[in-house]
Amino acid sequence: MHLSLTTIIAAATFIGEVAAHGYVPLLRINGKDISGWDITKDPYATPQPLRVVRGTKLDSGFISDVTSTDITCSIGNQKLPPGPIQATVAAGGTVQVLWNTWPLGHYGPVLNYMAKCPTSDCSTFKGDTGTPWFKIQQDAFVNGVWASDTLAKSNFTYNVHIPSKIAPGSYLLRHENLALHGASNLNGAQFYPVCIQLTVTGGGSLNPSGLGFPGAYKATDPGIHFNVYQSDAVNAAYVPPGGSVYPGLN
Ligand SMILES: [Cu+2]
């Protein structure tokens, strides 16, 4: 009975998701609002608006192929801003990511990575070759709730804590919802990465790297090919893909 009910809920979630995934039209840093990428307006504006959030193709859809360069910064990773732009945040500070919406039941972790841009201008950096990325923060199944549902219940907001000991400079922040509601099927996981161009001030001398997007994820990773409809105990033991948070960041 319980299994069949969760199957029905999963099916209903799947049907309902065509219209409503989510995107990031707004950031907040130190109480200041910064425009993100508004899928309802920005793709249609001429000239292309200058945004600190990387633009995406004309939808808010997910990536399911972890070997695609879309896994780096969302669908159409080749689309770069028309000029330099970055939001400034202090090392040790917080970037609030305000999604327009996020559906309950898209169970999964929220994962956050950074990569140092090779020059001071991040707008020319795709980040899709080599291993420039490092993981800074992740939340999975905490106190019986998936991080995705916590985000949905928190005004669709997630707070990214910028490490205090990284070197100052220009960075891409890769913030990602990983939806596992269909992930018991191989290639059924849905990735929703969002890249944000930052100037980090202060900080220390740490220059971490080591992960590639694509590269860090495999379709068969236990944190990607995973059945969320088993038990709280199984979910609590869930290990996100991409490894541990880089040590010594704070
Ligand atoms: Cu969805």
Side-chain angles (χ1 to χ4, degrees):
M1 182 61 193
H2 179 69
L3 270 180
S4 61
L5 182 61
T6 52
T7 304
I8 291 162
I9 292 166
T13 304
F14 186 74
I15 291 161
E17 82 167 5
V18 175
H21 295 108
Y23 55 92
V24 177
L26 194 64
L27 304 173
R28 193 167 290 148
I29 299 175
N30 290 330
K32 186 186 167 204
D33 285 357
I34 300 164
S35 292
W37 182 260
D38 187 338
I39 278 168
T40 67
K41 297 181 186 134
D42 291 344
Y44 308 101
T46 307
Q48 182 188 332
L50 201 51
R51 304 293 189 217
V52 298
V53 172
R54 284 286 168 88
T56 60
K57 207 180 141 189
L58 306 184
D59 61 39
S60 53
F62 57 86
I63 294 120
S64 55
D65 178 3
V66 297
T67 67
S68 161
T69 53
D70 285 347
I71 201 72
T72 318
C73 290
S74 194
I75 299 168
N77 191 53
Q78 284 67 26
K79 191 176 185 69
L80 294 168
I85 184 169
Q86 283 157 218
T88 299
V89 61
T94 300
V95 175
Q96 287 190 289
V97 182
L98 283 71
W99 292 73
N100 72 313
T101 188
W102 193 258
L104 289 169
H106 267 34
Y107 302 124
V110 180
L111 309 166
N112 303 276
Y113 303 83
M114 292 176 79
K116 190 105 183 264
C117 301
T119 68
S120 61
D121 174 13
C122 278
S123 67
T124 60
F125 178 48
K126 289 182 181 174
D128 58 2
T129 58
T131 55
W133 298 92
F134 57 99
K135 186 181 277 183
I136 62 166
Q137 180 181 344
Q138 61 186 355
D139 297 291
F141 192 76
V142 181
N143 297 327
V145 184
W146 283 102
S148 56
D149 272 6
T150 300
L151 183 156
K153 291 172 183 169
S154 309
N155 294 319
F156 314 114
T157 299
Y158 183 92
N159 293 338
V160 181
H161 303 291
I162 303 303
S164 57
K165 291 189 176 168
I166 57 171
S170 300
Y171 289 86
L172 285 182
L173 166 62
R174 183 181 178 280
H175 165 72
E176 176 179 48
N177 262 305
L178 168 49
L180 299 170
H181 52 292
S184 60
N185 297 316
L186 192 62
N187 298 311
Q190 301 180 354
F191 301 84
Y192 301 84
V194 176
C195 284
I196 301 162
Q197 303 186 169
L198 297 176
T199 300
V200 175
T201 59
S205 56
L206 213 57
N207 279 296
S209 65
L211 299 174
F213 287 103
Y217 293 171
K218 289 189 185 66
T220 52
D221 284 346
I224 290 176
H225 186 200
F226 182 81
N227 182 357
V228 292
Y229 303 107
Q230 297 176 84
S231 68
D232 279 9
V234 171
N235 288 342
Y238 169 82
V239 177
S244 311
V245 168
Y246 196 92
L249 289 174
N250 292 293

